[in-house]
């Protein structure tokens, strides 16, 4: 079964840092572009970042550029999102998702709350 | 503000057909980039409904169909059912932003 499981969310103070992880199983992780997508409470979906299969290409939404860093470890079948200088508006559920062009899947999400 | 524009809400009676539009521009949908559609039931993870403009993943009923023309795409739901009540999002890639875009979402209400 193709599966993605996020972890690492939690409550963090403004200006703090958090590292999200996404463990993949059931498919050849190293062959696919991977993505992070977030959803603020009661709001729509917002793309955060994408990384190509060999980490050659990395893209960020303007809202997180310079603060977030996406990375992957193909040997560990894992995707990461290092989030620094966190702001209240970064609060939401963060999903990892396999290449959008192949219909997912998406993980269950991990909640990040930025508040003092 | 999303560069992919969806109506905030649509509604229909059971058995009816509804269309959800997704209007983009020459740097995304109009440039030939694929459009994908997601369904998000209340409190759940978004589910892929249509990928690559017209393709349905296995398990998605053929009541759901997608199309694309010019700078717009559409999701058509026929034979509306109560369980179709959800939020629907379109998604594409934008070359001017060098990034992925989601539409603002459309809330479907089954009357």
């Amino acid at each position: 079964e193709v599966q993605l499981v996020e972890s690492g969310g939690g409550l963090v103070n403004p200006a703090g840092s958090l590292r999200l992880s996404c463990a993949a199983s059931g498919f050849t992780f190293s062959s696919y572009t991977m993505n992070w997508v977030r959803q603020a409470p009661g709001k729509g979906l917002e793309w955060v970042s994408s990384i190509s299969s060999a980490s050659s290409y990395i893209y960020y939404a303007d809202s997180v550029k310079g603060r977030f860093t996406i990375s992957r470890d193909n040997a560990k079948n894992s995707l990461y999102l290092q989030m620094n200088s966190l702001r209240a508006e970064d609060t939401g559920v963060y999903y990892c998702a396999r290449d959008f062009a192949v219909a997912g899947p998406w993980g269950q999400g991990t909640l990040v709350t930025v508040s003092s | 503000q999303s560069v992919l524009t969806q109506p905030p809400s649509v509604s229909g009676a059971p058995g009816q057909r509804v269309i959800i539009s997704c209007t983009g521009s020459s740097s995304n949908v109009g440039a030939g980039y694929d459009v994908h559609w997601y369904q998000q039931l209340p409190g759940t993870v978004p589910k892929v409904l249509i990928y690559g403009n017209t393709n349905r993943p296995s398990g998605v009923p053929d009541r759901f169909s997608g199309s694309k023309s010019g700078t717009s795409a559409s999701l058509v739901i026929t034979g509306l059912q109560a369980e179709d009540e959800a939020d629907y999002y379109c998604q594409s890639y934008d070359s001017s932003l060098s990034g992925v875009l989601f539409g603002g979402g459309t809330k479907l209400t089954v009357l």
Side-chain angles (χ1 to χ4, degrees), chain A residues 64-116:
Chain A
V64 306
K65 203 171 291 183
R67 300 187 300 123
F68 290 11
T69 302
I70 191 172
S71 63
R72 64 191 296 162
D73 185 334
N74 286 342
K76 295 183 177 180
N77 291 337
S78 293
L79 175 71
Y80 306 102
L81 186 67
Q82 177 67 42
M83 305 186 296
N84 299 329
S85 304
L86 283 162
R87 306 166 180 167
E89 54 265 36
D90 295 318
T91 292
V93 176
Y94 284 70
Y95 300 101
C96 68
R98 193 176 67 168
D99 194 336
F100 298 126
V102 296
W106 292 39
Q108 289 298 307
T110 187
L111 177 62
V112 173
T113 304
V114 184
S115 175
S116 55

Side-chain angles (χ1 to χ4, degrees), chain B residues 15-96:
Chain B
Q16 285 191 333
R17 182 179 84 145
V18 296
I19 300 175
I20 298 174
S21 61
C22 175
T23 302
S25 67
S26 58
S27 61
N28 43 69
V29 180
Y33 294 107
D34 284 343
V35 176
H36 315 297
W37 290 92
Y38 300 85
Q39 177 194 58
Q40 188 174 32
L41 298 169
T44 68
V45 177
K47 167 189 169 183
V48 180
L49 213 53
I50 299 288
Y51 68 100
N53 306 311
T54 61
N55 303 296
R56 274 188 313 275
S58 60
V60 173
D62 59 6
R63 302 186 296 105
F64 296 90
S65 63
S67 66
K68 189 180 97 166
S69 178
T71 58
S72 294
S74 296
L75 174 69
V76 179
I77 310 172
T78 58
L80 205 57
Q81 299 180 3
E83 55 262 37
D84 297 334
E85 192 160 283
D87 293 323
Y88 293 83
Y89 297 90
C90 63
Q91 178 207 42
S92 188
Y93 176 82
D94 190 283
S95 57
S96 64

